[in-house]
Amino acid sequence: MGELIGTVTHFFPKISVCVVKLEKPLKKGEKIKFKHKEEEFEQEVKSMQVEHKELEEAKAGMEIGMKVDKPVREGFEVYKA
């Protein structure tokens, strides 16, 4: 398992977007893993936004919106893959 970089705080199922509170920086194009108990999946960071502005890179401490390939829930942990 990679380094823990953040936690999911919200999920919007209609648009398949989650909000992640970052503990470490994250860049578009990086591979990440979502994990909660027995559930986990990997995906590439394709889109990150803060207040509807697209980001290439997000810093630790930011809360970002991110498109996800599968549904997640509050409390999912996000790791670098």
Side-chain angles (χ1 to χ4, degrees):
M1 182 83 60
E3 168 183 35
L4 178 66
I5 58 165
T7 308
V8 174
T9 59
H10 299 287
F11 177 61
F12 302 97
K14 284 192 170 121
I15 55 174
S16 200
V17 167
C18 70
V19 176
V20 177
K21 174 119 173 89
L22 291 175
E23 296 174 21
K24 306 270 191 216
L26 182 64
K27 292 181 182 156
K28 199 188 273 190
E30 288 186 304
K31 291 248 189 246
I32 56 171
K33 181 180 281 187
F34 288 90
K35 182 164 176 42
H36 186 265
K37 296 180 181 150
E38 299 304 310
E39 288 180 73
E40 66 177 66
F41 68 94
E42 272 185 36
Q43 75 170 59
E44 182 182 326
V45 179
K46 298 181 194 92
S47 168
M48 293 189 294
Q49 293 189 345
V50 171
E51 293 176 13
H52 307 290
K53 291 185 178 70
E54 191 66 26
L55 298 177
E56 291 298 314
E57 190 172 346
K59 295 178 174 62
M62 293 177 87
E63 285 199 53
I64 59 164
M66 180 187 305
K67 194 93 167 134
V68 286
D69 296 343
K70 295 182 179 175
V72 293
R73 289 189 305 282
E74 199 173 301
F76 265 65
E77 293 177 328
V78 185
Y79 294 87
K80 288 246 170 105

